[in-house]
Amino acid sequence: MKLISWNVNGLRACLNKGFLDFFHTTAPDILCLQETKLQPHQIELELPGYHQYWNSAEKKGYSGTALFSRVEPQSVTYGLGIPQHDTEGRVITAEYEDFFLVCCYTPNTQQELARLPYRMEWEDAFRGYLQELDRRKPVILCGDLNVAHQEIDLKNPKTNRRSAGFTDEERGKLTALLESGFVDSFRYLYPDVTGAYTWWSYFRRARATNAGWRIDYFILSDRLKDRIADSKILSDVMGSDHCPVELDLREAP
């Protein structure tokens, strides 16, 4: 099974930069998108053979997630079920026969860490949500989690120590999630690979020089790790300031 996650930084813009060519060429079983920046019915995508699910922010042109799946999920829910966290279209959960798939666009801490207190509340609520799902069946979490976990996950860790996405607080929350029974699929397979990034600033030729951050993930319940066939970063795919990430999952034994 091939699963792909991509922060498209505005789907309408990405459609003009080769999105459909990428989609049809890769032909994923499931595609999750973040930062769609769409309200309901602003576009109508014709994707024969796929079931489409959308979660939009109340604020126009902001945030938003989508999930396209060949197999119709048993159920689909939107948000965390917590009103204060569910106005920005950040989470879609699809239940399949042997796992939950959670597509997430984690809130950015923003300049001067203005949203760090809210981010900490979100992280605790989201971890609790994932743990509750995990008690029912294994979980696959994907998306833009807006944090580079370790120094190996960004080009310039020393100068970004208190930057949004690399604070001790944000990194600690991801550590807490992993320690509660989850695994970062890319680092599970490639613990020492350097220069593996998924986001690059539009400034200072960051992508051309690979001055990036790895902030897009596939994170799985520990009991799924033996099913990880590969975890890829598709860094040659353009169309956004993020590149897609891919999880190749073996079928259940």
Side-chain angles (χ1 to χ4, degrees), residues 25-50:
T25 299
T26 56
D29 294 290
I30 304 172
L31 174 65
C32 292
L33 303 181
Q34 301 87 43
E35 208 170 357
T36 54
K37 299 183 179 179
L38 288 171
Q39 298 303 114
H41 311 300
Q42 278 193 300
I43 62 170
E44 297 291 339
L45 278 183
E46 292 188 11
L47 303 174
Y50 286 84

PDB file of all heavy atoms in Angstrom, residues 25-50:
ATOM      1  N   THR A  25       0.712  10.152 -11.815  1.00  0.00           N
ATOM      2  CA  THR A  25       1.945   9.382 -12.008  1.00  0.00           C
ATOM      3  C   THR A  25       2.236   8.476 -10.816  1.00  0.00           C
ATOM      4  O   THR A  25       2.610   7.313 -10.985  1.00  0.00           O
ATOM      5  CB  THR A  25       3.137  10.334 -12.234  1.00  0.00           C
ATOM      6  OG1 THR A  25       2.896  11.101 -13.412  1.00  0.00           O
ATOM      7  CG2 THR A  25       4.428   9.553 -12.395  1.00  0.00           C
ATOM      8  N   THR A  26       2.060   9.004  -9.625  1.00  0.00           N
ATOM      9  CA  THR A  26       2.359   8.210  -8.427  1.00  0.00           C
ATOM     10  C   THR A  26       1.230   7.250  -8.075  1.00  0.00           C
ATOM     11  O   THR A  26       1.479   6.191  -7.499  1.00  0.00           O
ATOM     12  CB  THR A  26       2.636   9.119  -7.218  1.00  0.00           C
ATOM     13  OG1 THR A  26       1.520   9.992  -7.024  1.00  0.00           O
ATOM     14  CG2 THR A  26       3.893   9.934  -7.429  1.00  0.00           C
ATOM     15  N   ALA A  27      -0.018   7.627  -8.398  1.00  0.00           N
ATOM     16  CA  ALA A  27      -1.187   6.771  -8.176  1.00  0.00           C
ATOM     17  C   ALA A  27      -1.209   6.165  -6.772  1.00  0.00           C
ATOM     18  O   ALA A  27      -1.224   4.946  -6.606  1.00  0.00           O
ATOM     19  CB  ALA A  27      -1.245   5.672  -9.233  1.00  0.00           C
ATOM     20  N   PRO A  28      -1.212   6.988  -5.731  1.00  0.00           N
ATOM     21  CA  PRO A  28      -1.195   6.440  -4.367  1.00  0.00           C
ATOM     22  C   PRO A  28      -2.515   5.766  -4.023  1.00  0.00           C
ATOM     23  O   PRO A  28      -3.569   6.083  -4.593  1.00  0.00           O
ATOM     24  CB  PRO A  28      -0.985   7.688  -3.506  1.00  0.00           C
ATOM     25  CG  PRO A  28      -1.590   8.797  -4.310  1.00  0.00           C
ATOM     26  CD  PRO A  28      -1.296   8.464  -5.735  1.00  0.00           C
ATOM     27  N   ASP A  29      -2.457   4.863  -3.069  1.00  0.00           N
ATOM     28  CA  ASP A  29      -3.690   4.290  -2.543  1.00  0.00           C
ATOM     29  C   ASP A  29      -4.424   5.318  -1.696  1.00  0.00           C
ATOM     30  O   ASP A  29      -5.658   5.376  -1.701  1.00  0.00           O
ATOM     31  CB  ASP A  29      -3.384   3.037  -1.720  1.00  0.00           C
ATOM     32  CG  ASP A  29      -2.824   1.924  -2.582  1.00  0.00           C
ATOM     33  OD1 ASP A  29      -3.580   1.363  -3.395  1.00  0.00           O
ATOM     34  OD2 ASP A  29      -1.618   1.637  -2.468  1.00  0.00           O
ATOM     35  N   ILE A  30      -3.655   6.117  -0.959  1.00  0.00           N
ATOM     36  CA  ILE A  30      -4.210   7.199  -0.145  1.00  0.00           C
ATOM     37  C   ILE A  30      -3.295   8.412  -0.281  1.00  0.00           C
ATOM     38  O   ILE A  30      -2.081   8.282  -0.198  1.00  0.00           O
ATOM     39  CB  ILE A  30      -4.321   6.810   1.336  1.00  0.00           C
ATOM     40  CG1 ILE A  30      -5.148   5.534   1.524  1.00  0.00           C
ATOM     41  CG2 ILE A  30      -4.942   7.945   2.145  1.00  0.00           C
ATOM     42  CD1 ILE A  30      -5.128   4.986   2.942  1.00  0.00           C
ATOM     43  N   LEU A  31      -3.902   9.579  -0.499  1.00  0.00           N
ATOM     44  CA  LEU A  31      -3.150  10.831  -0.521  1.00  0.00           C
ATOM     45  C   LEU A  31      -3.750  11.769   0.506  1.00  0.00           C
ATOM     46  O   LEU A  31      -4.966  12.001   0.506  1.00  0.00           O
ATOM     47  CB  LEU A  31      -3.209  11.481  -1.904  1.00  0.00           C
ATOM     48  CG  LEU A  31      -2.569  12.870  -2.021  1.00  0.00           C
ATOM     49  CD1 LEU A  31      -1.069  12.807  -1.794  1.00  0.00           C
ATOM     50  CD2 LEU A  31      -2.875  13.502  -3.378  1.00  0.00           C
ATOM     51  N   CYS A  32      -2.908  12.287   1.393  1.00  0.00           N
ATOM     52  CA  CYS A  32      -3.327  13.267   2.389  1.00  0.00           C
ATOM     53  C   CYS A  32      -2.686  14.611   2.074  1.00  0.00           C
ATOM     54  O   CYS A  32      -1.491  14.673   1.781  1.00  0.00           O
ATOM     55  CB  CYS A  32      -2.922  12.810   3.784  1.00  0.00           C
ATOM     56  SG  CYS A  32      -3.821  11.350   4.373  1.00  0.00           S
ATOM     57  N   LEU A  33      -3.466  15.666   2.161  1.00  0.00           N
ATOM     58  CA  LEU A  33      -2.971  17.010   1.881  1.00  0.00           C
ATOM     59  C   LEU A  33      -3.145  17.898   3.099  1.00  0.00           C
ATOM     60  O   LEU A  33      -4.104  17.751   3.861  1.00  0.00           O
ATOM     61  CB  LEU A  33      -3.733  17.639   0.713  1.00  0.00           C
ATOM     62  CG  LEU A  33      -3.746  16.883  -0.620  1.00  0.00           C
ATOM     63  CD1 LEU A  33      -4.542  17.679  -1.648  1.00  0.00           C
ATOM     64  CD2 LEU A  33      -2.337  16.630  -1.115  1.00  0.00           C
ATOM     65  N   GLN A  34      -2.215  18.829   3.252  1.00  0.00           N
ATOM     66  CA  GLN A  34      -2.327  19.851   4.281  1.00  0.00           C
ATOM     67  C   GLN A  34      -2.195  21.228   3.636  1.00  0.00           C
ATOM     68  O   GLN A  34      -1.619  21.370   2.570  1.00  0.00           O
ATOM     69  CB  GLN A  34      -1.240  19.684   5.360  1.00  0.00           C
ATOM     70  CG  GLN A  34      -1.261  18.348   6.068  1.00  0.00           C
ATOM     71  CD  GLN A  34      -0.445  17.310   5.329  1.00  0.00           C
ATOM     72  OE1 GLN A  34       0.656  17.582   4.845  1.00  0.00           O
ATOM     73  NE2 GLN A  34      -0.973  16.086   5.211  1.00  0.00           N
ATOM     74  N   GLU A  35      -2.725  22.221   4.338  1.00  0.00           N
ATOM     75  CA  GLU A  35      -2.708  23.620   3.885  1.00  0.00           C
ATOM     76  C   GLU A  35      -3.345  23.750   2.502  1.00  0.00           C
ATOM     77  O   GLU A  35      -2.782  24.366   1.599  1.00  0.00           O
ATOM     78  CB  GLU A  35      -1.287  24.194   3.924  1.00  0.00           C
ATOM     79  CG  GLU A  35      -1.294  25.694   4.132  1.00  0.00           C
ATOM     80  CD  GLU A  35       0.075  26.299   4.419  1.00  0.00           C
ATOM     81  OE1 GLU A  35       1.071  25.556   4.513  1.00  0.00           O
ATOM     82  OE2 GLU A  35       0.130  27.528   4.559  1.00  0.00           O
ATOM     83  N   THR A  36      -4.534  23.191   2.384  1.00  0.00           N
ATOM     84  CA  THR A  36      -5.274  23.284   1.113  1.00  0.00           C
ATOM     85  C   THR A  36      -5.764  24.697   0.849  1.00  0.00           C
ATOM     86  O   THR A  36      -5.945  25.097  -0.299  1.00  0.00           O
ATOM     87  CB  THR A  36      -6.476  22.331   1.129  1.00  0.00           C
ATOM     88  OG1 THR A  36      -7.273  22.595   2.293  1.00  0.00           O
ATOM     89  CG2 THR A  36      -6.014  20.880   1.139  1.00  0.00           C
ATOM     90  N   LYS A  37      -6.033  25.462   1.913  1.00  0.00           N
ATOM     91  CA  LYS A  37      -6.494  26.856   1.815  1.00  0.00           C
ATOM     92  C   LYS A  37      -7.770  26.969   0.987  1.00  0.00           C
ATOM     93  O   LYS A  37      -7.912  27.875   0.162  1.00  0.00           O
ATOM     94  CB  LYS A  37      -5.397  27.752   1.228  1.00  0.00           C
ATOM     95  CG  LYS A  37      -4.128  27.814   2.056  1.00  0.00           C
ATOM     96  CD  LYS A  37      -3.106  28.773   1.446  1.00  0.00           C
ATOM     97  CE  LYS A  37      -1.841  28.853   2.274  1.00  0.00           C
ATOM     98  NZ  LYS A  37      -0.837  29.769   1.681  1.00  0.00           N
ATOM     99  N   LEU A  38      -8.694  26.059   1.224  1.00  0.00           N
ATOM    100  CA  LEU A  38      -9.929  26.010   0.442  1.00  0.00           C
ATOM    101  C   LEU A  38     -11.152  25.991   1.341  1.00  0.00           C
ATOM    102  O   LEU A  38     -11.148  25.362   2.398  1.00  0.00           O
ATOM    103  CB  LEU A  38      -9.968  24.743  -0.424  1.00  0.00           C
ATOM    104  CG  LEU A  38      -9.031  24.691  -1.629  1.00  0.00           C
ATOM    105  CD1 LEU A  38      -9.042  23.284  -2.217  1.00  0.00           C
ATOM    106  CD2 LEU A  38      -9.479  25.706  -2.683  1.00  0.00           C
ATOM    107  N   GLN A  39     -12.205  26.633   0.884  1.00  0.00           N
ATOM    108  CA  GLN A  39     -13.523  26.470   1.479  1.00  0.00           C
ATOM    109  C   GLN A  39     -14.275  25.384   0.690  1.00  0.00           C
ATOM    110  O   GLN A  39     -13.904  25.065  -0.448  1.00  0.00           O
ATOM    111  CB  GLN A  39     -14.295  27.781   1.432  1.00  0.00           C
ATOM    112  CG  GLN A  39     -13.656  28.913   2.220  1.00  0.00           C
ATOM    113  CD  GLN A  39     -13.438  28.554   3.678  1.00  0.00           C
ATOM    114  OE1 GLN A  39     -12.312  28.451   4.143  1.00  0.00           O
ATOM    115  NE2 GLN A  39     -14.525  28.340   4.401  1.00  0.00           N
ATOM    116  N   PRO A  40     -15.312  24.812   1.279  1.00  0.00           N
ATOM    117  CA  PRO A  40     -16.049  23.762   0.563  1.00  0.00           C
ATOM    118  C   PRO A  40     -16.510  24.231  -0.822  1.00  0.00           C
ATOM    119  O   PRO A  40     -17.019  25.335  -0.990  1.00  0.00           O
ATOM    120  CB  PRO A  40     -17.250  23.497   1.481  1.00  0.00           C
ATOM    121  CG  PRO A  40     -16.761  23.865   2.846  1.00  0.00           C
ATOM    122  CD  PRO A  40     -15.842  25.039   2.634  1.00  0.00           C
ATOM    123  N   HIS A  41     -16.261  23.362  -1.793  1.00  0.00           N
ATOM    124  CA  HIS A  41     -16.747  23.536  -3.170  1.00  0.00           C
ATOM    125  C   HIS A  41     -16.081  24.697  -3.912  1.00  0.00           C
ATOM    126  O   HIS A  41     -16.596  25.150  -4.942  1.00  0.00           O
ATOM    127  CB  HIS A  41     -18.277  23.685  -3.200  1.00  0.00           C
ATOM    128  CG  HIS A  41     -18.991  22.631  -2.418  1.00  0.00           C
ATOM    129  ND1 HIS A  41     -18.874  21.288  -2.725  1.00  0.00           N
ATOM    130  CD2 HIS A  41     -19.796  22.707  -1.330  1.00  0.00           C
ATOM    131  CE1 HIS A  41     -19.605  20.589  -1.862  1.00  0.00           C
ATOM    132  NE2 HIS A  41     -20.157  21.421  -1.008  1.00  0.00           N
ATOM    133  N   GLN A  42     -14.939  25.183  -3.404  1.00  0.00           N
ATOM    134  CA  GLN A  42     -14.214  26.196  -4.178  1.00  0.00           C
ATOM    135  C   GLN A  42     -13.582  25.577  -5.421  1.00  0.00           C
ATOM    136  O   GLN A  42     -13.316  26.285  -6.390  1.00  0.00           O
ATOM    137  CB  GLN A  42     -13.149  26.874  -3.316  1.00  0.00           C
ATOM    138  CG  GLN A  42     -13.707  27.986  -2.451  1.00  0.00           C
ATOM    139  CD  GLN A  42     -12.619  28.841  -1.840  1.00  0.00           C
ATOM    140  OE1 GLN A  42     -11.785  28.348  -1.092  1.00  0.00           O
ATOM    141  NE2 GLN A  42     -12.624  30.130  -2.155  1.00  0.00           N
ATOM    142  N   ILE A  43     -13.270  24.288  -5.349  1.00  0.00           N
ATOM    143  CA  ILE A  43     -12.854  23.568  -6.544  1.00  0.00           C
ATOM    144  C   ILE A  43     -13.572  22.225  -6.558  1.00  0.00           C
ATOM    145  O   ILE A  43     -14.015  21.728  -5.528  1.00  0.00           O
ATOM    146  CB  ILE A  43     -11.322  23.335  -6.600  1.00  0.00           C
ATOM    147  CG1 ILE A  43     -10.851  22.466  -5.431  1.00  0.00           C
ATOM    148  CG2 ILE A  43     -10.559  24.636  -6.653  1.00  0.00           C
ATOM    149  CD1 ILE A  43      -9.418  22.002  -5.577  1.00  0.00           C
ATOM    150  N   GLU A  44     -13.685  21.660  -7.734  1.00  0.00           N
ATOM    151  CA  GLU A  44     -14.222  20.310  -7.888  1.00  0.00           C
ATOM    152  C   GLU A  44     -13.154  19.489  -8.597  1.00  0.00           C
ATOM    153  O   GLU A  44     -12.869  19.704  -9.775  1.00  0.00           O
ATOM    154  CB  GLU A  44     -15.525  20.320  -8.704  1.00  0.00           C
ATOM    155  CG  GLU A  44     -16.664  21.086  -8.046  1.00  0.00           C
ATOM    156  CD  GLU A  44     -17.209  20.411  -6.801  1.00  0.00           C
ATOM    157  OE1 GLU A  44     -16.998  19.181  -6.658  1.00  0.00           O
ATOM    158  OE2 GLU A  44     -17.828  21.100  -5.968  1.00  0.00           O
ATOM    159  N   LEU A  45     -12.530  18.572  -7.870  1.00  0.00           N
ATOM    160  CA  LEU A  45     -11.490  17.733  -8.443  1.00  0.00           C
ATOM    161  C   LEU A  45     -12.105  16.446  -8.977  1.00  0.00           C
ATOM    162  O   LEU A  45     -12.834  15.757  -8.256  1.00  0.00           O
ATOM    163  CB  LEU A  45     -10.439  17.376  -7.391  1.00  0.00           C
ATOM    164  CG  LEU A  45      -9.335  18.374  -7.077  1.00  0.00           C
ATOM    165  CD1 LEU A  45      -8.376  17.764  -6.065  1.00  0.00           C
ATOM    166  CD2 LEU A  45      -8.578  18.776  -8.332  1.00  0.00           C
ATOM    167  N   GLU A  46     -11.800  16.120 -10.216  1.00  0.00           N
ATOM    168  CA  GLU A  46     -12.220  14.842 -10.770  1.00  0.00           C
ATOM    169  C   GLU A  46     -11.090  13.846 -10.601  1.00  0.00           C
ATOM    170  O   GLU A  46     -10.065  13.924 -11.271  1.00  0.00           O
ATOM    171  CB  GLU A  46     -12.586  14.998 -12.251  1.00  0.00           C
ATOM    172  CG  GLU A  46     -13.840  15.823 -12.486  1.00  0.00           C
ATOM    173  CD  GLU A  46     -14.290  15.788 -13.942  1.00  0.00           C
ATOM    174  OE1 GLU A  46     -13.748  14.955 -14.706  1.00  0.00           O
ATOM    175  OE2 GLU A  46     -15.163  16.588 -14.295  1.00  0.00           O
ATOM    176  N   LEU A  47     -11.279  12.931  -9.660  1.00  0.00           N
ATOM    177  CA  LEU A  47     -10.280  11.910  -9.356  1.00  0.00           C
ATOM    178  C   LEU A  47     -10.973  10.555  -9.399  1.00  0.00           C
ATOM    179  O   LEU A  47     -11.336   9.992  -8.360  1.00  0.00           O
ATOM    180  CB  LEU A  47      -9.655  12.153  -7.974  1.00  0.00           C
ATOM    181  CG  LEU A  47      -9.001  13.519  -7.738  1.00  0.00           C
ATOM    182  CD1 LEU A  47      -8.555  13.651  -6.287  1.00  0.00           C
ATOM    183  CD2 LEU A  47      -7.820  13.721  -8.690  1.00  0.00           C
ATOM    184  N   PRO A  48     -11.192  10.014 -10.598  1.00  0.00           N
ATOM    185  CA  PRO A  48     -11.928   8.760 -10.725  1.00  0.00           C
ATOM    186  C   PRO A  48     -11.292   7.656  -9.899  1.00  0.00           C
ATOM    187  O   PRO A  48     -10.064   7.489  -9.873  1.00  0.00           O
ATOM    188  CB  PRO A  48     -11.829   8.453 -12.226  1.00  0.00           C
ATOM    189  CG  PRO A  48     -11.601   9.773 -12.880  1.00  0.00           C
ATOM    190  CD  PRO A  48     -10.775  10.554 -11.915  1.00  0.00           C
ATOM    191  N   GLY A  49     -12.114   6.930  -9.176  1.00  0.00           N
ATOM    192  CA  GLY A  49     -11.629   5.817  -8.374  1.00  0.00           C
ATOM    193  C   GLY A  49     -11.244   6.191  -6.956  1.00  0.00           C
ATOM    194  O   GLY A  49     -10.824   5.328  -6.183  1.00  0.00           O
ATOM    195  N   TYR A  50     -11.391   7.479  -6.603  1.00  0.00           N
ATOM    196  CA  TYR A  50     -11.014   7.926  -5.265  1.00  0.00           C
ATOM    197  C   TYR A  50     -12.217   8.531  -4.535  1.00  0.00           C
ATOM    198  O   TYR A  50     -13.018   9.260  -5.127  1.00  0.00           O
ATOM    199  CB  TYR A  50      -9.915   8.989  -5.331  1.00  0.00           C
ATOM    200  CG  TYR A  50      -8.555   8.436  -5.687  1.00  0.00           C
ATOM    201  CD1 TYR A  50      -8.191   8.238  -7.017  1.00  0.00           C
ATOM    202  CD2 TYR A  50      -7.627   8.112  -4.707  1.00  0.00           C
ATOM    203  CE1 TYR A  50      -6.947   7.723  -7.361  1.00  0.00           C
ATOM    204  CE2 TYR A  50      -6.378   7.604  -5.026  1.00  0.00           C
ATOM    205  CZ  TYR A  50      -6.047   7.413  -6.356  1.00  0.00           C
ATOM    206  OH  TYR A  50      -4.814   6.895  -6.698  1.00  0.00           O
TER     207      TYR A  50
END
